Amino acid sequence: MPAQTSHKPPRDGLRADARENRDRILKAAREAFAAQGIDVPVAAIARRAGVGVATLYRRFPTRDALVTEAFAEELGHCVSVLDEGLADPDPWRGFCTVIERVCLMQALDRGFTQAFLTEFPGQADFARERARAEEGLALLVRRAKDAGGLRQDFEPSDITLLLLANCGVTTGADEEAATASRRLAAYLLHAFRADGAAPLPPPAQLGLDRIHE
Amino acid sequence: MPAQTSHKPPRDGLRADARENRDRILKAAREAFAAQGIDVPVAAIARRAGVGVATLYRRFPTRDALVTEAFAEELGHCVSVLDEGLADPDPWRGFCTVIERVCLMQALDRGFTQAFLTEFPGQADFARERARAEEGLALLVRRAKDAGGLRQDFEPSDITLLLLANCGVTTGADEEAATASRRLAAYLLHAFRADGAAPLPPPAQLGLDRIHE
DNA sequence: GGGTAAACGGACGACCCCCTCCGTTTGGAC
DNA sequence: GTCCAAACGGAGGGGGTCGTCCGTTTACCC
């Protein structure tokens, strides 16, 4: 019997049922996005969550808001993968690890890449995270180049190129997508190596904020 | 004054106005598919062609029929690129040329790849052309391997992998798409070379009939 | 237990796309 | 010029998604 009842103070101003529904919606959204891509109908998410459409819209007024929230966790995972790569004493190995892991994440969740590479007008959160990611990637690239593992004419935009390419090969079922993704990543990482590098055509102007479709 | 009037015998059983409209529709469809992808609304094509929707449907009962006709020419171009590649006395150069040209075609016409890599139920024409293409590509690969230019563990499915990857990087404006495509093709062709080849993960099970989305 | 504001969810109007029906127009043979 | 089958095009029914409105239910404070 605590003096101050701690069991039901609506910490974020939400009633208990509302909070639970919110969680259910986010879970359903993540599943639906992963399985069917980012274009899945809102009604399908609501049905999967076992709530009405209105409840979903009350919590997430726009589709973008839902997407942002749904992928916040995975975005964090991405950032930690990047940090791990930067912490690797072998810059080239760190570089490869980041690429391979992110590609696999893409392969297993087709919604995530779409979300990450798509511009969301007014979603400051995504823009900020993306900017952080770009900084980190630039550093990763610099380290790998300086260590001699990565070819000198590699551009940070080549990472976006790889992510987009990977996005293209990961449209099938999970296992198939993962296999294709692994093979593509292996080919490209081989091509990115400094030894045996041949001249390249000019890089594409691609940032992570690449608009999709 | 020819005994048999040759100016207006409806060769394909179409009236003159119908034939002209048919051509206009195909032209409009090609433009629309190239500019906006294969999912462009039928009504938009009809409007662009300056005909009513009914006229379009009368000529092309299903969407697939329209797509098939619209890309027949480009498909033929693809086949001739393949033939040229096969005719090249240097198998590796022939291989590279085919890849580079097809990638560029993809980059400049976003509808084409979607059409080519998508299954059209009941469109025997496409299936047949695709089968021919697969045979030709298999031969191209074999020659390039035997000549020592292409790595031994390369699989014909890797070409589909490349096409899908290229599809992923060619979603932007034409020029941007072409730049990205060229760079990706250069990286991958470098990775496909026999010299310096490192072990690869297993190939993906990808045919040209790869279902898309 | 009772009251109230928050939360709920189904129904609904707006929009878009697909494809067909049907009244009108027109090419071209005689 | 006359005629008719062929061709035309717009209107409209069916299906789907989006986002909102509003009458009903429910959590939580007292």
Side-chain angles (χ1 to χ4, degrees):
Chain A
M1 21 319 273
Q4 184 188 3
T5 64
S6 65
H7 52 336
K8 274 170 198 163
R11 290 192 304 157
D12 34 9
L14 286 183
R15 228 166 64 178
D17 54 346
R19 157 149 284 291
E20 194 200 337
N21 278 335
R22 188 175 189 282
D23 291 344
R24 299 241 301 274
I25 290 169
L26 281 177
K27 180 169 176 292
R30 272 189 281 263
E31 291 170 1
F33 287 148
Q36 300 175 238
I38 210 173
D39 292 327
V40 62
V42 175
I45 298 177
R47 204 176 331 114
R48 188 190 280 256
V51 305
V53 211
T55 300
L56 195 158
Y57 279 106
R58 195 171 308 111
R59 272 329 134 225
F60 308 96
T62 76
R63 188 193 194 76
D64 288 0
L66 177 57
V67 171
T68 305
E69 282 288 328
F71 289 115
E73 188 184 333
E74 201 153 7
L75 199 52
H77 187 203
C78 247
V79 170
S80 71
V81 164
L82 181 54
D83 288 341
E84 282 178 46
L86 284 168
D88 194 314
D90 179 342
W92 172 249
R93 191 178 58 195
F95 178 84
C96 291
T97 306
V98 171
I99 298 291
E100 285 162 357
R101 291 221 200 143
V102 173
C103 281
L104 193 59
M105 285 176 66
Q106 271 191 264
L108 298 180
D109 186 341
R110 75 184 82 275
F112 180 58
T113 317
Q114 292 179 324
F116 195 65
L117 293 176
T118 303
E119 181 70 47
F120 285 113
Q123 284 302 325
D125 287 0
F126 252 59
R128 190 160 4 100
E129 291 293 333
R130 200 153 41 206
R132 275 191 53 197
E134 290 199 335
E135 282 176 37
L137 287 173
L139 186 55
L140 192 73
V141 167
R142 174 110 312 277
R143 285 180 67 227
K145 274 192 196 175
D146 289 349
L150 184 62
R151 54 193 298 166
Q152 288 298 317
D153 52 0
F154 186 90
E155 292 278 331
S157 72
D158 287 331
I159 291 186
T160 306
L161 192 73
L162 177 147
L163 292 178
L164 287 171
N166 193 52
C167 200
V169 305
T170 54
T171 56
D174 276 7
E175 197 179 340
E176 179 185 279
T179 306
S181 174
R182 263 190 290 269
R183 190 142 169 123
L184 179 69
Y187 271 132
L188 283 175
L189 284 175
H190 178 66
F192 293 164
R193 282 210 62 103
D195 44 321
L200 280 175
Q205 298 295 331
L206 295 172
L208 287 183
D209 60 343
R210 180 66 205 294
I211 292 183
H212 213 236
E213 287 303 86
Chain B
M1 27 298 300
Q4 184 188 3
T5 64
S6 65
H7 54 336
K8 273 168 197 165
R11 289 192 305 157
D12 35 7
L14 284 183
R15 228 166 63 176
D17 53 346
R19 158 148 283 294
E20 194 200 337
N21 277 334
R22 187 176 189 282
D23 291 344
R24 299 242 301 275
I25 290 169
L26 281 177
K27 180 169 177 290
R30 273 189 281 263
E31 291 171 2
F33 288 149
Q36 300 176 239
I38 208 173
D39 292 327
V40 62
V42 175
I45 298 177
R47 204 176 333 113
R48 187 190 281 254
V51 305
V53 216
T55 300
L56 195 158
Y57 279 107
R58 195 171 309 110
R59 269 334 130 219
F60 308 97
T62 75
R63 187 193 194 75
D64 288 0
L66 177 57
V67 172
T68 305
E69 282 287 331
F71 288 116
E73 187 184 334
E74 200 154 8
L75 200 52
H77 187 205
C78 247
V79 170
S80 71
V81 164
L82 181 53
D83 288 341
E84 281 178 46
L86 285 169
D88 194 314
D90 179 343
W92 171 249
R93 192 178 56 194
F95 178 84
C96 290
T97 306
V98 171
I99 299 289
E100 285 162 358
R101 291 221 200 144
V102 174
C103 281
L104 193 59
M105 286 176 64
Q106 271 192 264
L108 297 181
D109 187 340
R110 74 184 82 274
F112 180 58
T113 317
Q114 292 178 323
F116 196 65
L117 293 176
T118 303
E119 182 69 50
F120 285 112
Q123 282 304 325
D125 286 359
F126 251 58
R128 189 158 6 100
E129 291 293 332
R130 199 156 40 208
R132 275 191 54 198
E134 290 199 335
E135 282 176 35
L137 287 174
L139 185 56
L140 191 74
V141 167
R142 174 109 311 279
R143 286 179 67 229
K145 274 191 196 175
D146 289 349
L150 184 62
R151 53 193 300 167
Q152 289 299 318
D153 52 1
F154 186 90
E155 294 277 332
S157 73
D158 287 332
I159 291 187
T160 306
L161 191 73
L162 177 148
L163 292 179
L164 287 171
N166 192 51
C167 200
V169 306
T170 54
T171 57
D174 277 7
E175 196 180 340
E176 179 185 279
T179 305
S181 174
R182 264 191 289 268
R183 190 143 170 123
L184 179 70
Y187 271 133
L188 283 175
L189 285 175
H190 177 66
F192 293 164
R193 284 207 62 101
D195 45 320
L200 281 175
Q205 298 296 329
L206 295 173
L208 287 183
D209 60 343
R210 180 65 205 294
I211 293 183
H212 213 236
E213 286 303 85

